[in-house]
Amino acid sequence: MNAVHRLSGMTYLDVLHIYGLTRAGFIPQLFSLRLPNPDIVYELLQRAGARALIYDHSFEGAISTCPVPAHVALQSASIDVAGYPLPSMPQTQGEDIAVIFHTSGSTSGSPKLVPCDFVWLQAMIAKAFHATIPQSSARQDVTVWIGSVCHIAQNFMLWGAIQHGTCTIQPTKIMFSSHELLDMITRAGLNRLNQFATFLAMQLRASRSNPKLLDALRGLDEVLSTGLALPHEDEEFAYKNQIQLKNCFGSTECGAMMLSIGGQGPHARCLRPIEGTDYGFFPVTPQ
């Protein structure tokens, strides 16, 4: 039974709703602000056979024509939970669906359903462990929210962070300013920056005229870029200035698949499969 989420994807409350419903035996189907048109959301939830929609209060005016029962997400502080003990863990099989994500729709013009079973989830958690191993055991690792938790990227990073006991900062927005980045580094101890290439390029360009920002970026243990390839000029600038840049290649369906070696050596940019995984690359056969 699907419980569909239409959330901001940027708060701890969103994490609680998503994994709380999973714990209760429901299948979360995740939507975020990247799909602002409710008609698209309604079409996708009907394709998945959704039974209910849980939405952030900011979408109150957009759910009047929702084809399934809709419920606003509530703060737990407003509910007396003492009388609701946790039930036993639901019994699941490897092929049972754990969560439903969606593609961006960039190749087909419309998002596609990506139903993910528990075998897939187990594989993602294992890969996330190897993709987020701390650089040093001498201090607490601190990273930052990379995107909406309604999408695979932030889930993948969160699965890795939880396994390593890594702290995760929630910024005010995904496209946070250089001022906010410096604040996270100096006040919150951020040492691993994860950003989509579009946003990281903005930080790198700003650092060319901001020596304080450039020094802060140099001092990070890791700067991970994903989503798109960094513009060549920005990538060259990062390596030239000893920024510990890493590139991550992945997709919604597969999660992270390959990481560059990183560092400053001659092979720093070479992509390698994440430890413990094997891949085959085959030419596309026309249908």
Side-chain angles (χ1 to χ4, degrees), residues 139-263:
R139 66 169 175 173
Q140 171 73 60
D141 249 18
V142 181
T143 187
V144 64
W145 216 256
I146 192 173
S148 169
V149 77
C150 295
H151 300 295
I152 183 60
Q154 178 53 36
N155 278 278
F156 189 88
M157 293 301 182
L158 184 62
W159 295 331
I162 289 173
Q163 292 179 83
H164 295 296
T166 300
C167 291
T168 301
I169 301 170
Q170 290 175 289
T172 57
K173 56 184 178 181
I174 292 304
M175 193 171 61
F176 49 79
S177 67
S178 297
H179 176 77
E180 184 171 355
L181 173 57
L182 281 169
D183 192 51
M184 289 189 286
I185 294 171
T186 56
R187 290 204 305 130
L190 176 73
N191 69 311
R192 294 176 72 137
L193 174 61
N194 304 319
Q195 277 200 294
F196 289 112
T198 303
F199 305 139
L200 178 59
M202 295 171 59
Q203 305 291 357
L204 292 172
R205 291 166 192 167
S207 73
R208 299 183 187 197
S209 58
N210 186 337
K212 185 177 181 181
L213 176 61
L214 180 57
D215 284 343
L217 289 172
R218 284 173 175 154
L220 295 174
D221 289 332
E222 182 176 289
V223 176
L224 186 143
S225 172
T226 191
L228 300 171
L230 268 176
H232 181 71
E233 182 181 1
D234 297 316
E235 185 180 49
E236 289 296 324
F237 175 82
Y239 283 115
K240 181 180 178 181
N241 286 275
Q242 290 78 52
I243 293 172
Q244 302 301 310
L245 187 64
K246 271 193 173 183
N247 181 31
C248 176
F249 172 78
S251 67
T252 298
E253 295 88 341
C254 300
M257 292 183 281
M258 304 182 79
L259 285 172
S260 63
I261 296 172

Side-chain angles (χ1 to χ4, degrees), residues 68-92:
V68 298
H71 309 276
V72 65
L74 299 176
Q75 294 279 354
S76 59
S78 65
I79 306 171
D80 181 8
V81 298
Y84 298 90
L86 280 174
S88 58
M89 288 288 288
Q91 296 298 310
T92 60

Side-chain angles (χ1 to χ4, degrees), residues 26-107:
F26 294 92
I27 302 170
Q29 180 182 354
L30 308 179
F31 297 95
S32 78
L33 295 175
R34 268 167 83 182
L35 296 176
N37 188 332
D39 292 335
I40 297 175
V41 174
Y42 297 159
E43 179 183 348
L44 290 170
L45 65 86
Q46 286 180 313
R47 285 189 206 169
R51 301 292 295 275
L53 173 69
I54 299 173
Y55 64 93
D56 185 88
H57 66 87
S58 61
F59 296 108
E60 187 71 45
I63 51 89
S64 59
T65 59
C66 182
V68 298
H71 309 276
V72 65
L74 299 176
Q75 294 279 354
S76 59
S78 65
I79 306 171
D80 181 8
V81 298
Y84 298 90
L86 280 174
S88 58
M89 288 288 288
Q91 296 298 310
T92 60
Q93 303 296 322
E95 64 273 14
D96 291 340
I97 300 302
V99 61
I100 299 174
F101 290 104
H102 302 89
T103 62
S104 64
S106 58
T107 57

